[in-house]
Amino acid sequence: MGRDGADRRVAVVGAGLAGCLLAVLLGRRGLEVTVYERRPDPRVAGAEQGRSINLAISARGLAALEQVGLREQALGRALPMHGRMVHPLGADQNFQPYSADGRRAINSISRAGLNASLLDTAEATPGVKLRFSQRVTGVDSQAGALILEDGEGRQSTEPAGVVLAGDGAYSAVRASMGLEGDTDFLEHGYKELTVPARDGEFALDPDALHIWPRGTSMMIALPNLDRSFTCTLFWPKSEFEALDTPERVAAYFAEHYPDVAGLMPDLTADYELNPVGSLVTVRCWPWVKYGDGAIVALLGDAAHAIVPFFGQGANCAFEDCIEIDRCLAETGGHWPRALSLYQERRKANTDVIAEMALDNFIEMRDRVSSPVFRAKRAATHALERRLAGRYVSRYELVSFSTMPYAEIPARIRRQNRVLAASVLGGAALLAVTARALLRRR
């Protein structure tokens, strides 16, 4: 095995969105890559129950997909959402555009469809092998081996010199390597429901991400190509437990979501059938472990799971893949140096987006229905239009740029300082002018 790791066997654990993208990038570098996935091939077996049906792809994710030729295909299978449609209780709904010019949009896309496209691309990439129904339970970094388990609990090992683990927030690889960090669960869980098409058309405006803010909880809805909407409840888990009969479910929705309850003919059945998922933030360090036989690195949710309230989970994981590829290019394919650079560059960014995602939950469930919030948002957009390129909102920097997440808070602070100084300077100039005029009298 070369000291630079050039001849290491590369294993990617997890054939989700990030694992597939990374496999394609590595295969295009001429590397031999094997992708291990515990599920059967989802293109044959269907999507895993309990996984989010759709997600929001924005600038960061699209930039990553462009690297493997999938940007236009993804956009062709996505529905643009140019803003939020807020459904306050007891008041009219209102539309809040995401960008100052009203033209920019985040894109609702099928998770399963995007995963299938990435799987197809990986499968067609020379050097990449996909292996399904292969549960990786750990890594022996000293021996340079993956530990696998079949459906009957029998264990086996396979050699691997570089292991890149994208096996999710509850990563078996992370646990086996002792790379556990902080795992914080919200008291809220989530459950998915459906608003089907109505007479072949969308029952709600498809150009918006719909939000029903209810203080301590909320529901959102994203459009699908079949003209349905995927609705996701984000409730305290105690609320889910309290609705334990179809009658209670129907009555609760009629009271708290009256404008949409009648659009859900299968509400009570879906509510009973669909599971309650957990919302978790994972903060882990380090992400890389060096053994005599293998280097192990974490990516995506395995390293830094975030809650979904900024729509950045997949976008952020895709950026991990691009960074690994970039670091390999910069180090001439030297895996130890490349992965060290990767974790150093990405850690601060993922910590920042984790905090912003938690803050956006409060904004979505509490603030968006407030007239004060709406006035503040309108003022921000007015500043963006007047000071184009010099004043940019946090939302636009996160969703419509590829500025590193870690640089955004400082950018916002600088903007606000300059704006405050301009306002104070203008006020001071006005006062001086007024005094001069008074003296002339």
Side-chain angles (χ1 to χ4, degrees):
M1 185 180 296
R3 293 182 63 186
D4 65 355
D7 59 349
R8 294 178 187 264
R9 295 171 181 260
V10 180
V12 174
V13 182
L17 300 176
C20 289
L21 176 65
L22 183 57
V24 174
L25 292 168
L26 298 180
R28 292 184 177 188
R29 288 197 159 276
L31 298 170
E32 297 291 324
V33 182
T34 303
V35 182
Y36 297 84
E37 171 55 52
R38 63 179 177 81
R39 302 168 297 167
D41 188 338
R43 295 169 296 179
V44 177
E48 185 178 23
Q49 187 177 11
R51 294 287 285 169
S52 175
I53 293 171
N54 52 6
L55 50 87
I57 287 290
S58 50
R60 300 166 195 275
L62 292 172
L65 291 172
E66 188 167 22
Q67 296 296 308
V68 295
L70 290 178
R71 176 192 171 97
E72 295 308 315
Q73 183 188 104
L75 285 173
R77 298 176 180 178
L79 289 166
M81 301 177 292
H82 286 86
R84 300 165 170 166
M85 186 69 78
V86 180
H87 300 249
L89 188 60
D92 293 337
Q93 65 185 29
N94 61 85
F95 182 75
Q96 300 175 10
Y98 283 131
S99 67
D101 60 11
R103 298 177 182 175
R104 293 179 173 177
I106 60 175
N107 302 281
S108 175
I109 190 168
S110 160
R111 178 185 290 273
L114 182 57
N115 202 172
S117 295
L118 284 162
L119 283 166
D120 289 344
T121 304
E123 199 166 51
T125 302
V128 177
K129 297 178 183 177
L130 303 178
R131 294 184 54 184
F132 297 99
S133 300
Q134 299 287 319
R135 187 181 188 89
V136 176
T137 61
V139 180
D140 185 336
S141 62
Q142 296 308 113
L146 290 178
I147 303 168
L148 300 117
E149 187 177 284
D150 66 17
E152 297 181 3
R154 293 181 296 237
Q155 287 195 342
S156 61
T157 61
E158 291 197 7
V162 174
V163 179
L164 305 167
D167 54 341
Y170 308 105
S171 169
V173 172
R174 187 182 70 225
S176 77
M177 300 306 298
L179 294 173
E180 291 295 317
D182 295 327
T183 303
D184 296 328
F185 289 89
L186 287 184
E187 66 171 13
H188 294 68
Y190 71 92
K191 180 189 285 281
E192 293 195 335
L193 304 172
T194 301
V195 171
R198 196 175 192 183
D199 299 325
E201 297 299 329
F202 289 104
L204 301 166
D205 184 348
D207 191 37
L209 185 154
H210 294 257
I211 306 176
W212 289 260
R214 296 298 182 262
T216 60
S217 64
M218 69 174 181
M219 180 171 73
I220 68 171
L222 276 72
N224 299 308
L225 287 177
D226 66 359
R227 292 181 167 77
S228 69
F229 280 81
T230 300
C231 297
T232 309
L233 303 170
F234 296 102
W235 291 357
K237 290 184 178 178
S238 58
E239 286 190 29
F240 287 116
E241 294 164 1
L243 302 185
D244 54 0
T245 68
E247 293 76 19
R248 286 179 176 173
V249 171
Y252 188 92
F253 274 78
E255 179 182 357
H256 294 276
Y257 304 97
D259 63 336
V260 73
L263 303 177
M264 298 174 157
D266 299 320
L267 168 62
T268 57
D270 285 349
Y271 189 92
E272 181 178 3
L273 177 66
N274 294 342
V276 175
S278 294
L279 297 167
V280 61
T281 299
V282 173
R283 298 179 181 86
C284 175
W285 187 258
W287 298 354
V288 180
K289 188 164 185 176
Y290 303 92
D292 291 338
I295 305 170
V296 181
L298 309 176
L299 68 140
D301 285 356
H304 50 75
I306 62 175
V307 293
F309 305 114
F310 225 126
Q312 288 296 302
N315 293 282
C316 183
F318 281 168
E319 283 193 325
D320 288 351
C321 302
I322 297 300
E323 191 61 57
I324 290 172
D325 187 55
R326 181 183 296 120
C327 291
L328 282 170
E330 290 177 12
T331 62
H334 190 285
W335 278 106
R337 287 206 302 270
L339 292 178
S340 179
L341 274 176
Y342 151 70
Q343 67 173 348
E344 289 168 9
R345 290 176 178 176
R346 291 295 294 157
K347 172 62 173 171
N349 291 298
T350 59
D351 283 349
V352 166
I353 190 57
E355 292 306 313
M356 289 195 288
L358 288 165
D359 180 67
N360 222 44
F361 182 32
I362 299 170
E363 177 174 306
M364 293 172 74
R365 77 184 195 202
D366 294 344
R367 301 173 189 154
V368 292
S369 57
S370 162
V372 174
F373 175 86
R374 291 169 61 187
K376 182 178 177 182
R377 195 66 174 269
T380 298
H381 283 332
L383 280 170
E384 288 182 283
R385 289 190 293 271
R386 185 165 184 174
L387 303 172
R390 290 176 289 165
Y391 190 94
V392 186
S393 71
R394 184 181 75 165
Y395 191 91
E396 293 214 27
L397 290 171
V398 170
S399 297
F400 304 133
S401 86
T402 56
M403 174 181 285
Y405 296 121
E407 295 180 13
I408 292 174
R411 164 70 184 260
I412 297 298
R413 288 193 296 271
R414 286 196 303 272
Q415 288 181 171
N416 290 339
R417 283 198 300 269
V418 170
L419 182 63
S422 298
V423 170
L424 290 172
L429 179 60
L430 183 61
V432 169
T433 303
R435 285 196 297 270
L437 290 171
L438 287 170
R439 283 196 298 268
R440 289 177 187 174
R441 289 182 183 178

